[in-house]
Amino acid sequence: LPLTTVRLLAPIPRPRKNIFCVGKNYRDHVKELKSEELPKYPVFFTKAPTAVIGPEMAIDSHPEVTRYVDYEGELAVVIGAEAKAVKKEQALDYIFGYTILNDVSARDRQKRHGQWFLGKSLDTFAPMGPVLVHKDELPDPHKLKIETRVNGELRQSANTSMMIFDIPTLIETLSAGITLEPGDIIATGTPAGVGLGFDPPRFLQPGDVVEVEIEGIGVLRNTVK
């Protein structure tokens, strides 16, 4: 079917579990947030499954809850086989493929509550897509260009080679005591250029169009309402 005749959903419209997310995984992003030092170990948090929407679907700005909505373009890993106590050397064998995730964030809720779950898990705050690409098509996920544009303006531009903790390290860390299952999603962190990093900050407003593009996957486009 021609894409123009269908409406794509997220590759996994309703994950069975929370989405595993990684914070502070790009050096320049840590610097723009004025964090004291780089993390010595991966920093994990989660997003609720109910936050997931597909490409071209609207991001609800939730004006009754927050006024500080931000974007974070990220490469997302989808697990393809049950993984327990996996070592880095075998980690890529447990991956099914890759997609794009926009880790939309309510910065005020994130700061106010002293943790990230509430600010990251509002409904529609996990746009995902536009497709899920099998790992055979992206043999090296650490050499992918990643960009985020807001209303056509380039805000984020980096390469996945700039991650502090690579994907095998993330899988090894998570699977040490936690069973990863087929369909589990790991969002690998965002590079510099988020709205909070500007002076003054540049948060999303209703009508804004956010596009996250990753080499070999495509463009994830969503409008804020």
Side-chain angles (χ1 to χ4, degrees):
L1 296 174
L3 283 175
T4 55
T5 66
V6 298
R7 181 185 185 189
L8 291 179
L9 302 179
I12 303 177
R14 181 58 62 87
R16 293 188 299 170
K17 300 179 187 173
N18 284 13
I19 299 167
F20 296 103
C21 300
V22 185
K24 302 180 179 179
N25 202 26
Y26 284 77
R27 287 175 175 82
D28 287 350
H29 178 54
V30 174
K31 183 178 179 180
E32 74 175 344
L33 297 181
K34 298 177 174 61
S35 297
E36 288 97 9
E37 59 184 18
L38 297 177
K40 296 179 181 178
Y41 304 96
V43 177
F44 288 101
F45 61 94
T46 67
K47 293 175 78 84
T50 47
V52 174
I53 58 172
E56 305 294 346
M57 297 182 183
I59 299 170
D60 187 346
S61 61
H62 294 279
E64 74 286 357
V65 175
T66 180
R67 291 181 295 170
Y68 303 95
V69 179
D70 209 347
Y71 54 86
E72 294 190 5
E74 309 197 10
L75 173 68
V77 176
V78 177
I79 296 297
E82 184 177 285
K84 293 183 179 181
V86 173
K87 298 303 180 184
K88 288 191 291 186
E89 293 74 18
Q90 288 78 45
L92 297 182
D93 295 339
Y94 292 84
I95 293 173
F96 177 82
Y98 306 94
T99 188
I100 302 172
L101 188 137
N102 184 353
D103 178 19
V104 182
S105 309
R107 297 301 189 189
D108 47 350
R109 284 171 69 89
Q110 190 176 348
K111 182 177 179 180
R112 181 188 311 133
H113 293 278
Q115 47 72 43
W116 299 349
F117 177 74
L118 286 175
K120 301 279 192 173
S121 293
L122 299 182
D123 291 350
T124 74
F125 271 27
M128 188 192 308
V131 293
L132 171 57
V133 177
H134 191 266
K135 65 181 179 181
D136 288 351
E137 301 299 321
L138 297 173
D140 190 348
H142 303 102
K143 291 184 178 179
L144 303 177
K145 186 176 182 180
I146 176 171
E147 293 185 340
T148 301
R149 296 178 292 273
V150 179
N151 301 325
E153 177 190 6
L154 184 64
R155 297 282 185 89
Q156 295 182 288
S157 182
N159 193 283
T160 55
S161 62
M162 300 166 67
M163 291 182 191
I164 298 172
F165 303 104
D166 63 14
I167 293 168
T169 298
L170 301 179
I171 292 175
E172 180 182 69
T173 304
L174 277 173
S175 68
I178 299 175
T179 300
L180 300 179
E181 299 177 308
D184 283 353
I185 301 163
I186 305 171
T188 58
T190 198
V194 300
L196 182 62
F198 288 89
D199 186 17
R202 303 176 69 181
F203 296 117
L204 296 174
Q205 304 297 326
D208 285 348
V209 178
V210 185
E211 296 174 303
V212 183
E213 182 172 4
I214 297 181
E215 181 182 357
I217 300 177
V219 178
L220 171 65
R221 182 183 298 105
N222 300 88
T223 301
V224 181
K225 69 173 183 178

